[in-house]
């Protein structure tokens, strides 16, 4: 059985964000915090100042963008309201991210070297036998990792602003500055002091409910609801999860995604998600908790979290001198639900484009310059998103298909190809003979799952 610590629970506050957004304050005088009359023209040299860039949102996407901009010579403002934010998130990061983004081991709670894939019938397949002794999946708490990334950006010259972004009137399609309106909470104000920041470029990294995206008419996307409980379990139970993560599939835990048990520093994160039946998310979470109950027996729920997760990139991710990155752009993969690495990577790539096109902040840039980032991103990752979309549609559509999926995960070649692609974010060339065998096994598994699905519908025992 589980108990709930209500003093530390934050139930679904972000879940309702799409329906309940704070209105603009009209009772205060707007303060201007940078000089007036900034004139912009793409390619024009900046003789008396550096290019000014506002990054909205201080998660991995925003923090990595701000760090790159500051190092590249741009005057950078990183605006984030919740400096102690603990976004609902599984917290898994690939091995390549540790080196690529120079992450210290102190922010990694657990190094997962083993995984269990658990089918609807509770068949468990051990995954991870192809990993060497230096390979692992990092498990982090977002409040720890995000804080580290923001502080590093600040140490490199970014101006960290405790503020809530409100709106921009013109996304920089004209030659004037972009006027960023936000509420400043630096002086411990409960309601915030309305201020305006004049900048040349804006990078929107403000998550799935992005206000920046709304300001540039980026278009809607379908989204999943992720629901997660952090559960403090007895030490003996925690020992079982010290280097192990579990993934559960089945109609009971999600009709179109998976449930998880991921180990953290001193607790486990138990959660699930869905796109097609968001109103039943608590029902799926209850089922997920029940399936993991024996291994988490005696646990105490210390935090409840919920958050929307984008399901595909937004139709418009650049407009004028505004670019979207991370969840705001819709960069979460289907099938796996991975978003942290792609958030950090997109933030860095957008910032690199700004730095390069502005010649280290010495000249103005325009929409064409920002689209350099977009073109590079789509060329590099379009295939990844498409393949994972197809896999989700094929293997998450029914319980028989999920059984086939788990059955395939027992294959050592499948594990090697999957982990190599995930850990290093590269498509590893396969062995033609093994690829042919894999194709044959996949077809056979799908045929079997289809037969089982038809038999279950007609009431025939398979």
């Amino acid at each position: 059985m589980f108990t709930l610590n209500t003093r530390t629970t934050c139930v679904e506050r972000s879940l309702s964000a799409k329906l309940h957004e704070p209105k603009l304050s009209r009772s205060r005088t707007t303060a201007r915090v940078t000089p007036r009359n900034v004139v912009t023209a793409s390619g024009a040299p900046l003789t008396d100042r550096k290019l000014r860039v506002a990054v909205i949102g201080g998660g991995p996407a925003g923090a990595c963008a701000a760090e790159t901009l500051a190092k590249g010579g741009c005057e950078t403002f990183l605006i984030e309201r919740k400096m102690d934010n603990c976004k609902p998130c599984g917290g898994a990061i690939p091995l390549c991210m540790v080196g690529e983004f120079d992450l210290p081991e102190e922010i990694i709670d657990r190094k997962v070297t083993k995984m269990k894939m658990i089918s609807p019938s509770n068949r468990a397949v051990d995954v991870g036998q192809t990993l060497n002794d230096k390979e692992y999946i990092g498990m982090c708490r977002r409040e720890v990792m995000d804080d580290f990334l923001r502080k590093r950006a600040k140490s490199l010259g970014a101006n960290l602003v405790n503020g809530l972004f409100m709106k921009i009137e013109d996304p920089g399609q004209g030659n004037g500055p972009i006027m960023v309106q936000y509420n400043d909470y630096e002086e411990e104000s409960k309601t915030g002091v309305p201020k305006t920041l004049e900048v040349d470029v804006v990078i929107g990294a403000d998550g799935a409910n992005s206000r920046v995206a709304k300001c540039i008419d980026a278009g809607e996307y379908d989204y999943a609801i992720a629901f997660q409980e952090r559960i403090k379990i007895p030490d003996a139970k925690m020992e079982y999860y010290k280097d192990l993560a579990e993934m559960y599939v089945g109609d009971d835990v999600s009709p179109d995604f998976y449930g998880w048990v991921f180990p953290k520093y001193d607790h486990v994160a138990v959660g699930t998600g869905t796109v097609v039946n968001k109103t039943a998310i608590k029902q799926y979470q209850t089922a997920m908790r029940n399936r993991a109950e024996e291994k988490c027996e005696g646990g105490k729920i210390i935090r409840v979290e919920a958050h929307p997760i984008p399901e595909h990139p937004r139709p418009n991710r650049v407009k004028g001198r505004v670019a979207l990155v991370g969840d705001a752009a819709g960069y979460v993969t289907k099938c796996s639900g991975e978003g942290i690495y792609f958030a950090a990577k997109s933030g860095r790539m957008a910032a690199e484009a700004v730095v390069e096109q502005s010649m280290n902040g010495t000249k103005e840039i325009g929409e064409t310059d920002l689209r350099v980032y977009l073109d590079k991103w789509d060329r590099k990752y379009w295939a990844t998103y498409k393949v994972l979309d197809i896999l989700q549609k094929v293997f998450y559509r029914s319980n028989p298909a999920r059984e086939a999926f788990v059955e395939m995960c027992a294959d050592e070649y499948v594990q090697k190809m999957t982990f190599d692609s995930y850990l290093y974010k590269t498509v590893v060339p396969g062995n033609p003979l093994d690829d042919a065998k894999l194709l044959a096994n996949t077809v056979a598994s799908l045929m079997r799952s289809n037969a089982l699905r038809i038999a279950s519908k007609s009431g025939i025992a398979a």
Side-chain angles (χ1 to χ4, degrees):
M1 295 293 292
F2 299 97
T3 59
L4 176 62
N5 184 342
T6 57
R7 295 186 63 186
T8 56
T9 299
C10 50
V11 184
E12 299 173 278
R13 288 179 295 182
S14 55
L15 182 60
S16 62
K18 298 183 81 71
L19 298 176
H20 305 286
E21 294 185 344
K23 298 180 179 179
L24 283 171
S25 171
R26 299 179 180 177
S27 60
R28 296 177 181 269
T29 302
T30 299
R32 196 174 298 271
V33 296
T34 57
R36 299 173 182 263
N37 301 322
V38 178
V39 178
T40 66
S42 182
L46 295 167
T47 57
D48 59 346
R49 65 176 180 85
K50 287 298 186 78
L51 190 78
R52 296 192 183 102
V53 185
V55 180
I56 313 301
C64 289
E67 174 187 339
T68 303
L69 290 165
K71 287 196 297 186
C74 298
E75 186 178 0
T76 306
F77 301 87
L78 177 58
I79 301 176
E80 168 61 45
R81 173 66 187 101
K82 297 179 180 179
M83 296 297 180
D84 58 349
N85 186 37
C86 49
K87 178 188 173 183
C89 178
I93 60 172
L95 180 61
C96 66
M97 184 174 179
V98 178
E100 186 176 345
F101 290 87
D102 196 21
L103 301 178
E105 287 203 359
E106 303 87 75
I107 72 167
I108 299 173
D109 287 342
R110 301 276 176 175
K111 295 181 178 180
V112 167
T113 57
K114 297 177 290 185
M115 293 191 71
K116 281 188 182 293
M117 296 292 301
I118 303 172
S119 77
S121 64
N122 279 327
R123 176 191 178 185
V125 169
D126 292 320
V127 179
Q129 55 189 326
T130 63
L131 297 180
N132 63 43
D133 57 2
K134 295 182 179 179
E135 294 178 321
Y136 62 88
I137 298 172
M139 292 291 169
C140 302
R141 286 167 291 166
R142 285 291 302 276
E143 60 269 30
V144 175
M145 182 174 68
D146 293 9
D147 182 63
F148 167 79
L149 292 173
R150 284 192 297 266
K151 287 180 177 176
R152 185 167 69 181
K154 182 179 180 180
S155 71
L156 292 167
N159 299 288
L160 189 55
V161 179
N162 185 1
L164 175 64
F165 170 79
M166 302 306 287
K167 67 175 183 177
I168 52 178
E169 297 289 355
D170 174 14
Q173 291 182 298
N175 285 332
I178 300 176
M179 313 298 286
V180 176
Q181 297 182 27
Y182 70 100
N183 287 350
D184 192 331
Y185 289 83
E186 290 289 356
E187 299 178 1
E188 299 184 357
S189 169
K190 292 183 178 180
T191 57
V193 178
K195 291 185 178 180
T196 298
L197 180 68
E198 294 183 1
V199 296
D200 305 295
V201 178
V202 171
I203 293 180
D206 50 337
N209 292 322
S210 173
R211 292 184 177 183
V212 177
K214 291 181 175 64
C215 289
I216 67 170
D217 297 320
E220 293 300 322
Y221 49 35
D222 204 357
Y223 65 95
I225 289 297
F227 195 103
Q228 176 174 274
E229 295 168 329
R230 300 194 190 195
I231 302 176
K232 177 82 171 177
I233 60 177
D235 291 344
K237 301 284 185 181
M238 196 69 212
E239 181 66 18
Y240 171 78
Y241 285 112
K242 68 177 182 180
D243 57 0
L244 171 72
E246 293 180 327
M247 295 175 63
Y248 293 77
V249 290
D251 282 333
D252 57 335
V253 299
S254 175
D256 57 335
F257 203 55
Y258 64 87
W260 63 85
V261 180
F262 288 168
K264 304 296 181 179
Y265 173 69
D266 60 354
H267 62 277
V268 292
V270 179
T272 185
T274 179
V275 177
V276 301
N277 194 4
K278 302 178 184 68
T279 58
I281 187 64
K282 286 187 177 181
Q283 170 190 323
Y284 299 135
Q285 178 64 15
T286 298
M288 180 58 222
R289 197 188 314 122
N290 289 340
R291 287 183 69 178
E293 184 172 21
E294 183 178 345
K295 286 170 280 191
C296 297
E297 187 176 3
K300 177 186 291 186
I301 299 173
I302 57 176
R303 187 183 293 274
V304 181
E305 306 163 323
H307 198 75
I309 298 176
E311 277 292 290
H312 57 79
R314 289 187 187 270
N316 306 307
R317 289 162 285 158
V318 170
K319 184 175 182 180
R321 284 172 276 124
V322 178
L324 301 177
V325 296
D327 282 14
Y331 295 150
V332 176
T333 60
K334 287 193 174 183
C335 194
S336 66
E338 183 186 4
I340 298 176
Y341 174 82
F342 293 109
K345 186 68 172 180
S346 63
R348 174 177 283 183
M349 287 179 68
E352 285 174 344
V354 171
V355 170
E356 291 168 6
Q357 298 300 310
S358 70
M359 298 183 66
N360 297 95
T362 62
K363 71 173 187 176
E364 293 284 5
I365 63 172
E367 182 171 323
T368 301
D369 300 304
L370 286 179
R371 289 195 176 277
V372 169
Y373 136 69
L374 209 56
D375 293 342
K376 287 183 178 179
W377 176 269
D378 288 343
R379 283 198 304 271
K380 189 175 182 67
Y381 295 115
W382 180 87
T384 298
Y385 283 85
K386 192 64 178 177
V387 168
L388 290 173
D389 185 16
I390 293 171
L391 287 176
Q392 179 165 324
K393 290 175 180 175
V394 170
F395 289 112
Y396 287 1
R397 72 185 191 277
S398 68
N399 274 353
R402 296 181 186 102
E403 292 285 352
F405 174 63
V406 174
E407 179 182 313
M408 285 178 55
C409 289
D411 186 274
E412 186 172 322
Y413 185 65
V414 171
Q415 291 187 27
K416 176 173 174 53
M417 297 298 288
T418 301
F419 269 107
D420 285 353
S421 297
Y422 173 78
L423 292 177
Y424 302 108
K425 291 295 172 283
T426 57
V427 178
V428 181
N431 179 290
L433 180 60
D434 288 330
D435 285 342
K437 290 179 180 178
L438 175 60
L439 177 60
N441 290 338
T442 301
V443 172
S445 294
L446 288 173
M447 290 177 65
R448 171 174 162 74
S449 74
N450 191 55
L452 289 171
R453 181 171 58 85
I454 294 173
S456 66
K457 283 186 176 180
S458 60
I460 301 174

